[in-house]
PDB file of all heavy atoms in Angstrom:
ATOM      1  N   ILE A  28     115.072  86.657 108.198  1.00  0.00           N
ATOM      2  CA  ILE A  28     115.242  86.854 109.643  1.00  0.00           C
ATOM      3  C   ILE A  28     115.741  88.260 109.925  1.00  0.00           C
ATOM      4  O   ILE A  28     115.231  88.954 110.811  1.00  0.00           O
ATOM      5  CB  ILE A  28     116.205  85.791 110.214  1.00  0.00           C
ATOM      6  CG1 ILE A  28     115.605  84.394 110.050  1.00  0.00           C
ATOM      7  CG2 ILE A  28     116.523  86.084 111.670  1.00  0.00           C
ATOM      8  CD1 ILE A  28     116.580  83.271 110.305  1.00  0.00           C
ATOM      9  N   ALA A  29     116.722  88.720 109.157  1.00  0.00           N
ATOM     10  CA  ALA A  29     117.274  90.060 109.373  1.00  0.00           C
ATOM     11  C   ALA A  29     116.219  91.141 109.119  1.00  0.00           C
ATOM     12  O   ALA A  29     116.093  92.090 109.901  1.00  0.00           O
ATOM     13  CB  ALA A  29     118.476  90.280 108.463  1.00  0.00           C
ATOM     14  N   VAL A  30     115.444  90.993 108.059  1.00  0.00           N
ATOM     15  CA  VAL A  30     114.399  91.977 107.755  1.00  0.00           C
ATOM     16  C   VAL A  30     113.334  91.960 108.847  1.00  0.00           C
ATOM     17  O   VAL A  30     112.866  93.014 109.294  1.00  0.00           O
ATOM     18  CB  VAL A  30     113.778  91.709 106.357  1.00  0.00           C
ATOM     19  CG1 VAL A  30     112.530  92.541 106.134  1.00  0.00           C
ATOM     20  CG2 VAL A  30     114.807  91.979 105.271  1.00  0.00           C
ATOM     21  N   TRP A  31     112.944  90.771 109.304  1.00  0.00           N
ATOM     22  CA  TRP A  31     111.932  90.688 110.350  1.00  0.00           C
ATOM     23  C   TRP A  31     112.428  91.315 111.654  1.00  0.00           C
ATOM     24  O   TRP A  31     111.683  92.040 112.316  1.00  0.00           O
ATOM     25  CB  TRP A  31     111.504  89.238 110.593  1.00  0.00           C
ATOM     26  CG  TRP A  31     110.457  89.145 111.657  1.00  0.00           C
ATOM     27  CD1 TRP A  31     109.140  89.457 111.534  1.00  0.00           C
ATOM     28  CD2 TRP A  31     110.655  88.750 113.010  1.00  0.00           C
ATOM     29  NE1 TRP A  31     108.506  89.278 112.736  1.00  0.00           N
ATOM     30  CE2 TRP A  31     109.416  88.842 113.659  1.00  0.00           C
ATOM     31  CE3 TRP A  31     111.763  88.324 113.736  1.00  0.00           C
ATOM     32  CZ2 TRP A  31     109.248  88.514 114.996  1.00  0.00           C
ATOM     33  CZ3 TRP A  31     111.597  88.004 115.060  1.00  0.00           C
ATOM     34  CH2 TRP A  31     110.347  88.099 115.686  1.00  0.00           C
ATOM     35  N   CYS A  32     113.676  91.054 112.026  1.00  0.00           N
ATOM     36  CA  CYS A  32     114.225  91.648 113.254  1.00  0.00           C
ATOM     37  C   CYS A  32     114.232  93.170 113.178  1.00  0.00           C
ATOM     38  O   CYS A  32     113.991  93.845 114.177  1.00  0.00           O
ATOM     39  CB  CYS A  32     115.649  91.141 113.507  1.00  0.00           C
ATOM     40  SG  CYS A  32     115.723  89.419 114.031  1.00  0.00           S
ATOM     41  N   LYS A  33     114.488  93.717 112.010  1.00  0.00           N
ATOM     42  CA  LYS A  33     114.590  95.175 111.853  1.00  0.00           C
ATOM     43  C   LYS A  33     113.225  95.834 111.667  1.00  0.00           C
ATOM     44  O   LYS A  33     112.972  96.905 112.209  1.00  0.00           O
ATOM     45  CB  LYS A  33     115.493  95.476 110.655  1.00  0.00           C
ATOM     46  CG  LYS A  33     115.735  96.919 110.378  1.00  0.00           C
ATOM     47  CD  LYS A  33     116.666  97.526 111.380  1.00  0.00           C
ATOM     48  CE  LYS A  33     116.992  98.956 110.969  1.00  0.00           C
ATOM     49  NZ  LYS A  33     117.803  99.617 111.938  1.00  0.00           N
ATOM     50  N   THR A  34     112.326  95.192 110.886  1.00  0.00           N
ATOM     51  CA  THR A  34     111.078  95.862 110.494  1.00  0.00           C
ATOM     52  C   THR A  34     109.810  95.190 110.993  1.00  0.00           C
ATOM     53  O   THR A  34     108.751  95.810 110.972  1.00  0.00           O
ATOM     54  CB  THR A  34     110.976  95.932 108.959  1.00  0.00           C
ATOM     55  OG1 THR A  34     110.845  94.605 108.435  1.00  0.00           O
ATOM     56  CG2 THR A  34     112.179  96.616 108.349  1.00  0.00           C
ATOM     57  N   GLY A  35     109.896  93.932 111.376  1.00  0.00           N
ATOM     58  CA  GLY A  35     108.679  93.199 111.747  1.00  0.00           C
ATOM     59  C   GLY A  35     107.971  92.593 110.555  1.00  0.00           C
ATOM     60  O   GLY A  35     106.890  92.032 110.687  1.00  0.00           O
ATOM     61  N   HIS A  36     108.570  92.691 109.367  1.00  0.00           N
ATOM     62  CA  HIS A  36     107.998  92.102 108.153  1.00  0.00           C
ATOM     63  C   HIS A  36     108.878  90.940 107.716  1.00  0.00           C
ATOM     64  O   HIS A  36     110.098  91.064 107.653  1.00  0.00           O
ATOM     65  CB  HIS A  36     107.920  93.140 107.031  1.00  0.00           C
ATOM     66  CG  HIS A  36     107.003  94.262 107.325  1.00  0.00           C
ATOM     67  ND1 HIS A  36     105.637  94.121 107.340  1.00  0.00           N
ATOM     68  CD2 HIS A  36     107.260  95.557 107.635  1.00  0.00           C
ATOM     69  CE1 HIS A  36     105.089  95.279 107.646  1.00  0.00           C
ATOM     70  NE2 HIS A  36     106.053  96.173 107.837  1.00  0.00           N
ATOM     71  N   TRP A  37     108.249  89.819 107.401  1.00  0.00           N
ATOM     72  CA  TRP A  37     108.975  88.631 106.955  1.00  0.00           C
ATOM     73  C   TRP A  37     108.957  88.605 105.439  1.00  0.00           C
ATOM     74  O   TRP A  37     107.926  88.364 104.813  1.00  0.00           O
ATOM     75  CB  TRP A  37     108.307  87.375 107.513  1.00  0.00           C
ATOM     76  CG  TRP A  37     109.073  86.126 107.253  1.00  0.00           C
ATOM     77  CD1 TRP A  37     108.944  85.307 106.182  1.00  0.00           C
ATOM     78  CD2 TRP A  37     110.091  85.565 108.075  1.00  0.00           C
ATOM     79  NE1 TRP A  37     109.821  84.257 106.277  1.00  0.00           N
ATOM     80  CE2 TRP A  37     110.541  84.388 107.446  1.00  0.00           C
ATOM     81  CE3 TRP A  37     110.679  85.928 109.277  1.00  0.00           C
ATOM     82  CZ2 TRP A  37     111.525  83.582 107.969  1.00  0.00           C
ATOM     83  CZ3 TRP A  37     111.659  85.124 109.798  1.00  0.00           C
ATOM     84  CH2 TRP A  37     112.071  83.965 109.156  1.00  0.00           C
ATOM     85  N   SER A  38     110.073  88.878 104.820  1.00  0.00           N
ATOM     86  CA  SER A  38     110.173  88.828 103.359  1.00  0.00           C
ATOM     87  C   SER A  38     111.648  88.824 102.971  1.00  0.00           C
ATOM     88  O   SER A  38     112.510  89.089 103.798  1.00  0.00           O
ATOM     89  CB  SER A  38     109.483  90.035 102.718  1.00  0.00           C
ATOM     90  OG  SER A  38     110.152  91.224 103.045  1.00  0.00           O
ATOM     91  N   THR A  39     111.874  88.523 101.718  1.00  0.00           N
ATOM     92  CA  THR A  39     113.234  88.548 101.206  1.00  0.00           C
ATOM     93  C   THR A  39     113.243  89.299  99.889  1.00  0.00           C
ATOM     94  O   THR A  39     112.549  88.927  98.941  1.00  0.00           O
ATOM     95  CB  THR A  39     113.820  87.134 101.031  1.00  0.00           C
ATOM     96  OG1 THR A  39     115.041  87.242 100.308  1.00  0.00           O
ATOM     97  CG2 THR A  39     112.905  86.186 100.333  1.00  0.00           C
ATOM     98  N   LEU A  40     113.982  90.360  99.845  1.00  0.00           N
ATOM     99  CA  LEU A  40     114.085  91.165  98.636  1.00  0.00           C
ATOM    100  C   LEU A  40     114.799  90.388  97.534  1.00  0.00           C
ATOM    101  O   LEU A  40     114.451  90.512  96.362  1.00  0.00           O
ATOM    102  CB  LEU A  40     114.823  92.471  98.944  1.00  0.00           C
ATOM    103  CG  LEU A  40     114.875  93.508  97.840  1.00  0.00           C
ATOM    104  CD1 LEU A  40     113.471  93.932  97.442  1.00  0.00           C
ATOM    105  CD2 LEU A  40     115.681  94.707  98.289  1.00  0.00           C
ATOM    106  N   GLN A  41     115.760  89.572  97.905  1.00  0.00           N
ATOM    107  CA  GLN A  41     116.510  88.799  96.909  1.00  0.00           C
ATOM    108  C   GLN A  41     115.582  87.870  96.121  1.00  0.00           C
ATOM    109  O   GLN A  41     115.615  87.840  94.895  1.00  0.00           O
ATOM    110  CB  GLN A  41     117.602  87.982  97.584  1.00  0.00           C
ATOM    111  CG  GLN A  41     118.690  88.816  98.209  1.00  0.00           C
ATOM    112  CD  GLN A  41     119.602  87.992  99.110  1.00  0.00           C
ATOM    113  OE1 GLN A  41     119.311  86.847  99.425  1.00  0.00           O
ATOM    114  NE2 GLN A  41     120.706  88.595  99.521  1.00  0.00           N
TER     115      GLN A  41
END
Side-chain angles (χ1 to χ4, degrees):
I28 296 168
V30 169
W31 180 76
C32 288
K33 182 73 174 176
T34 66
H36 296 288
W37 187 269
S38 66
T39 170
L40 187 60
Q41 294 168 349

